[in-house]
Amino acid sequence: MKLDHNNYDDDDDDNDDEAHKMCLAIIDRDVSNGDDCNGEDLFSPPLNFAMVDNGIFRSGFPDSANFSFLQTLGLRSIICLCPEPYPEANMEFLKSNGIKLFQFGIEGYKLFSDHEFRSQNFYVFLEPFVNIPQDTIREALKVVLDVRNHPVLIHCKRGKHRTGCLVGCFRKLQRWCLTSVFDEYQRFAAAKARVTDQRFMELFDVSSLKHLPMSFSCSRR
C-alpha cells in the first residue's frame, strides 16, 4: 500500500513545504556550483528536524532525500506517530540500517468549511475537541525513556502536533515548567498551535512513569 502523505494528517502546511523545497533547491544549486564543502555531498534533514535531548531527535516524516542524513545519526529506532502503514522505501531503509520501528498510530484531524462572504471565499478552520489517547502517548514515552532504543527519532507528518505532544509530555518528566513546554511546542506548531494539544500536555499525568530510569542530565537535581 502506497502511503499518501497528503491525505492522512492534520498538519498540512503549504508554507512548510515551500520552505523545505527552497532549502533543497539551495542545496542543489550550491552542489551544482561546486560550493559544497570539499566536494562532499550535503545532507538534507527531515522537515522540522531538531535534537530533543542526548540520543533523542524529532522531525516530520522522513523521505528518501533524508536517508543519508539519518544515517549520520546512527539511529537504533524510530517512533512513528502516524497510523498508516509505513512506506516501503522507509521500511527498506530501516531494515538495511538495523533500525527498529515503533509505531503508535494517532489519528490526525482537520475540519474546515467554505463560507461565501461578500463574493469572497473564506476557509474557517474549526478545532474540534479530540480525545488524544493518553495510553498511546504513555507507551511511546516508555520507548523514548529506554536508552536501549537510543538514538531514537520521533516523527509524525510535519513534526508539529503529535510529535509536539509527545515531546511536551517528555518535558514534564524532565520537570520543565508548563510555560517552557508550551514555548517549545509553539516554536514548531507556529500558527497551527492548538489549545487542545496544550491542554492535553497540561493534564497529562506523568506519575506512572516516574519510576522508570532516566539518564538525562536535565532531569536530575
Side-chain angles (χ1 to χ4, degrees):
M1 177 180 178
K2 184 178 180 181
L3 184 64
D4 186 351
H5 288 193
N6 294 320
N7 292 333
Y8 70 83
D9 197 275
D10 48 37
D11 293 339
D12 292 302
D13 189 333
D14 293 338
N15 291 333
D16 282 340
D17 282 339
E18 291 304 318
H20 197 53
K21 290 176 182 177
M22 184 179 296
C23 177
L24 293 177
I26 292 173
I27 291 174
D28 290 341
R29 181 196 65 195
D30 290 343
V31 171
S32 63
N33 290 338
D35 294 335
D36 55 314
C37 299
N38 300 320
E40 297 179 357
D41 290 337
L42 298 180
F43 297 119
S44 175
L47 186 69
N48 283 327
F49 175 84
M51 183 176 183
V52 177
D53 206 311
N54 292 331
I56 304 175
F57 306 94
R58 63 179 291 170
S59 76
F61 211 113
D63 58 30
S64 57
N66 312 131
F67 290 168
S68 295
F69 172 80
L70 294 182
Q71 285 179 316
T72 68
L73 303 179
L75 295 174
R76 286 185 181 174
S77 56
I78 283 180
I79 296 175
C80 176
L81 301 176
C82 301
E84 287 71 20
Y86 220 52
E88 183 177 347
N90 291 57
M91 288 301 299
E92 286 297 323
F93 171 75
L94 299 189
K95 183 178 179 180
S96 62
N97 288 274
I99 301 172
K100 185 174 183 179
L101 174 66
F102 294 92
Q103 189 160 14
F104 300 94
I106 301 175
E107 294 289 344
Y109 60 94
K110 181 178 183 180
L111 297 181
F112 62 90
S113 57
D114 188 7
H115 292 272
E116 190 76 15
F117 181 69
R118 294 182 182 177
S119 300
Q120 299 291 330
N121 287 326
F122 292 91
Y123 285 91
V124 179
F125 290 84
L126 307 175
E127 183 179 12
F129 177 80
V130 173
N131 184 22
I132 301 174
Q134 286 207 23
D135 289 343
T136 302
I137 294 293
R138 191 170 288 108
E139 290 303 309
L141 277 174
K142 291 178 181 178
V143 175
V144 173
L145 295 174
D146 190 342
V147 294
R148 293 173 297 181
N149 299 319
H150 294 183
V152 59
L153 173 68
I154 305 165
H155 79 78
C156 50
K157 185 184 178 184
R158 302 286 180 180
K160 294 181 178 181
H161 302 114
R162 287 170 282 192
T163 298
C165 285
L166 180 57
V167 171
C169 293
F170 171 73
R171 296 306 191 193
K172 290 186 68 174
L173 276 169
Q174 294 183 305
R175 301 191 183 98
W176 281 32
C177 67
L178 282 176
T179 300
S180 296
V181 171
F182 294 162
D183 283 348
E184 181 180 43
Y185 167 83
Q186 290 165 1
R187 282 203 306 273
F188 290 90
K192 302 291 186 178
R194 296 187 177 126
V195 174
T196 50
D197 287 347
Q198 294 173 83
R199 183 66 170 165
F200 172 82
M201 290 183 281
E202 178 182 0
L203 298 177
F204 185 80
D205 183 11
V206 299
S207 60
S208 64
L209 297 167
K210 288 183 177 179
H211 69 283
L212 296 175
M214 295 184 65
S215 63
F216 311 103
S217 58
C218 55
S219 69
R220 298 173 179 171
R221 291 185 177 180

